[in-house]
Amino acid sequence: MAENTDLMDKIVSLCKRRGFIFPGSEIYGGLANSWDYGPLGVELKNNIKQLWWKRFVHMRDDMVGIDAALLMNPKVWEASGHLSEFNDPMVECKNCHERYRADQIDTNAPCAKCGKKAFTEVMQFNMMFKTNLGPVADEKSTVYFRPETAQAMFVQFKNILDTSRKQLPFGVAQQGKAFRNEITPGNFIFRTREFEQMEIEYFINPKDNWNKHFEYWLEQMKEWLKDLGVTKNLEFVEIPDGERAHYSKRTVDIEYKYPFGQKELYGLAYRGDFDLSRHQKMSGQSLEYTDPQTNEKFLPHVIEPTWGVDRSLLVTLLEAYREEEDRVYLSLPPKLAPYKVAVFPLLKNKEQLVSKAREIYNDLRQYFNVAWDDRGNVGKRYYSQDEIGTPFCVTVDFDTIEKDGMVTVRNRDTKEQPRVKIEELKNYILGKL
Ligand code: GAP
């Protein structure tokens, strides 16, 4: 366990040191477990999101995407049940007023902050973030930042159906920010109050075998985890009757054994027609689907696979982290690496090496994100690129110019250094991606 906590510390430190993730508002002393993605973090995060979009939207005939506003009519949250039900049980220490999730601590034990044993009764704390629309801050102007991306896909169901002309079964996908006023955020980017989700609402005919679709999506989620390089430390947990949301006939939590314990990574739920029927009732607008063959009208049912972007990034880093005697490296799947390739001139004061390397750098940049490095010696540059997970380092040396028109391509994981013809470099790297 000590070793594992150590791994978390190493990841947090590497993220800060190399520009993946910084503490939010750091120069002002930070802000309650908020984190900012730095120059390399934004690349890794975008690569994860793009890979997901490609897999689940672009490569499929039965999927369309949307990108909805963060602020929605408050009636959305009334209909979805978030205003009344989206609560966490909370207790407060009567002495120091520290607040805790009642389901995460022993409420008969002393307060971890002040040591006194004086907790309040369990209260329900609503996690919705409030703000006001326009200049007057009153009840009528109160709106909420969305706590999940899901609802817009139900609210826009009719528009999506009318414009995309999809037939059941089909899905709607969305990526974006969600906000939850978590009582106890923590464990780096695992639980924050502002985070990103990638969600799919997959609409099916209620007469269809929903469990077949459910099993299919469970398999898809496993396939996705392979894309991230995450094949170990996973548990697929069936949520038993009585613990699921009342409208869900089946829920599977995909959990990961983080260094701080086994906790949720993703979720998969069969939600029936709960959301569409609630929005239909609340809005007074029909959200029914008309079967083109039978002309029958009905509300589709939905299977909802949901992914957290930040947790995806965290588990990707945890699984990619490697230590060897002489180096630390991130064995990231090449598609996800912030830089696909780094280009170096062997010596930075030799003009012909620098200009050839620059030429190669500028050419490759058209196809991938490429790093340029001419500091220190080649060994140091390898060390630096290994630590951020760059799969290939290309070095231009005297032989490149004087003899063979070839460059050394050093492989991050194997440390092999084949020589490759400059004209073949792009395809060589593409082939490895
Ligand atoms: N629409 C269903 C839904 O939102 P959820 O399990 O509450 O389900 C989905 O959230 C995913 O969002 C989680 O599996 C997790 O990956 C991510 N997530 C939830 N709360 C989070 C938080 N406070 N910080 C970071 N990620 C979070």
Side-chain angles (χ1 to χ4, degrees):
M1 189 67 195
E3 224 178 72
N4 278 344
T5 320
D6 206 34
L7 172 62
M8 200 62 198
D9 289 346
K10 286 173 182 169
I11 294 285
V12 175
S13 152
L14 188 149
C15 282
K16 167 95 197 283
R17 193 172 65 249
R18 298 307 310 271
F20 282 91
I21 301 172
F22 307 126
S25 317
E26 192 181 16
I27 61 167
Y28 289 103
L31 176 74
N33 210 73
S34 66
W35 300 93
D36 294 340
Y37 287 86
L40 296 186
V42 69
E43 297 296 335
L44 177 56
K45 185 153 87 143
N46 283 343
N47 290 345
I48 290 174
K49 288 164 63 179
Q50 280 159 13
L51 196 63
W52 185 92
W53 197 263
K54 182 167 184 197
R55 175 184 262 285
F56 292 120
V57 183
H58 287 176
M59 297 299 287
R60 300 182 61 115
D61 293 333
D62 60 348
M63 196 76 71
V64 289
I66 64 162
D67 183 14
L70 298 181
L71 299 172
M72 301 181 77
N73 189 312
K75 287 196 179 126
V76 171
W77 310 114
E78 219 180 306
S80 67
H82 281 86
L83 284 181
S84 54
E85 313 283 337
F86 199 52
N87 302 321
D88 265 347
M90 179 182 77
V91 287
E92 185 175 313
C93 170
K94 288 183 195 160
N95 181 53
C96 71
H97 303 290
E98 185 73 4
R99 292 177 161 190
Y100 298 92
R101 277 266 298 264
D103 55 343
Q104 286 178 353
I105 62 160
D106 174 3
T107 51
N108 294 313
C111 168
K113 192 171 173 208
C114 72
K116 289 267 170 3
K117 220 170 143 179
F119 284 119
T120 58
E121 290 295 303
V122 176
M123 305 175 263
Q124 291 304 320
F125 175 76
N126 191 277
M127 290 196 284
M128 301 284 283
F129 263 109
K130 261 189 212 172
T131 189
N132 294 92
L133 273 193
V136 183
D138 62 13
E139 221 171 82
K140 277 189 273 168
S141 68
T142 300
V143 289
Y144 303 88
F145 284 103
R146 66 182 181 198
E148 59 173 20
T149 60
Q151 291 306 317
M153 296 185 266
F154 300 118
V155 171
Q156 291 293 359
F157 179 70
K158 200 74 185 157
N159 278 331
I160 296 166
L161 197 59
D162 291 348
T163 52
S164 70
R165 314 202 72 77
K166 290 281 172 207
Q167 292 184 17
L168 293 182
F170 77 94
V172 184
Q174 188 176 200
Q175 302 181 330
K177 289 263 170 144
F179 298 80
R180 296 181 188 178
N181 203 359
E182 299 278 358
I183 299 167
T184 46
N187 290 319
F188 193 35
I189 54 171
F190 171 77
R191 181 173 285 112
T192 50
R193 295 188 171 115
E194 175 183 343
F195 56 94
E196 268 189 84
Q197 292 184 318
M198 308 185 280
E199 297 196 289
I200 291 173
E201 304 305 331
Y202 197 75
F203 297 100
I204 61 172
N205 189 318
K207 287 183 183 155
D208 249 19
N209 177 351
W210 63 264
N211 211 31
K212 183 190 79 188
H213 289 288
F214 193 100
E215 288 293 337
Y216 168 81
W217 278 105
L218 196 53
E219 280 311 306
Q220 288 300 304
M221 295 181 92
K222 288 179 189 170
E223 288 300 310
W224 161 256
L225 281 160
K226 288 186 201 159
D227 283 0
L228 297 186
V230 181
T231 51
K232 302 190 297 299
N233 295 316
L234 293 164
E235 284 297 334
F236 296 82
V237 181
E238 286 282 345
I239 305 301
D241 289 350
E243 287 180 31
R244 289 189 303 267
H246 62 90
Y247 49 79
S248 176
K249 285 208 182 74
R250 188 175 173 200
T251 300
V252 170
D253 275 357
I254 300 174
E255 300 189 345
Y256 179 82
K257 291 172 191 144
Y258 299 91
F260 44 85
Q262 182 176 319
K263 293 181 191 298
E264 184 183 328
L265 170 59
Y266 304 140
L268 175 63
Y270 171 43
R271 299 175 69 101
D273 66 0
F274 173 76
D275 304 272
L276 285 181
S277 68
R278 294 279 290 236
H279 288 304
Q280 177 165 276
K281 194 164 170 218
M282 188 88 188
S283 67
Q285 308 273 327
S286 167
L287 297 179
E288 282 181 330
Y289 173 85
T290 308
D291 188 303
Q293 269 85 46
T294 62
N295 274 335
E296 202 189 343
K297 281 181 186 296
F298 57 86
L299 283 179
H301 282 202
V302 79
I303 308 279
E304 180 191 66
T306 175
W307 294 257
V309 176
D310 311 83
R311 287 184 194 178
S312 300
L313 189 140
L314 178 58
V315 296
T316 300
L317 287 176
L318 285 166
E319 289 294 320
Y321 187 86
R322 305 271 190 287
E323 273 178 9
E324 282 174 0
E325 229 166 71
D326 57 344
R327 64 172 183 155
V328 164
Y329 70 107
L330 293 180
S331 184
L332 291 170
K335 276 187 195 157
L336 298 182
Y339 294 115
K340 306 296 178 246
V341 50
V343 178
F344 320 142
L346 181 67
L347 299 170
K348 77 167 178 187
N349 52 4
K350 292 287 174 207
E351 179 44 34
Q352 75 269 46
L353 297 184
V354 174
S355 67
K356 191 62 178 172
R358 274 270 161 202
E359 210 179 282
I360 294 171
Y361 170 66
N362 283 327
D363 180 46
L364 292 180
R365 283 169 101 176
Q366 299 177 75
Y367 313 103
F368 333 100
N369 197 23
V370 187
W372 171 264
D373 198 350
D374 59 9
R375 298 161 307 161
N377 58 39
V378 170
K380 282 195 181 134
R381 296 175 202 161
Y382 285 160
Y383 186 91
S384 170
Q385 294 299 327
D386 282 351
E387 209 185 25
I388 60 172
T390 308
F392 303 102
C393 291
V394 167
T395 305
V396 172
D397 56 25
F398 291 106
D399 281 355
T400 313
I401 318 270
E402 290 161 10
K403 271 201 199 151
D404 55 10
M406 295 172 108
V407 287
T408 304
V409 183
R410 190 264 196 174
N411 183 301
R412 175 196 68 198
D413 295 347
T414 63
K415 294 186 181 173
E416 283 166 350
Q417 302 191 19
R419 282 185 76 80
V420 176
K421 275 198 173 330
I422 294 174
E423 311 85 79
E424 288 164 12
L425 198 51
K426 179 192 114 194
N427 285 338
Y428 176 86
I429 295 165
L430 268 179
K432 305 268 177 192
L433 293 176

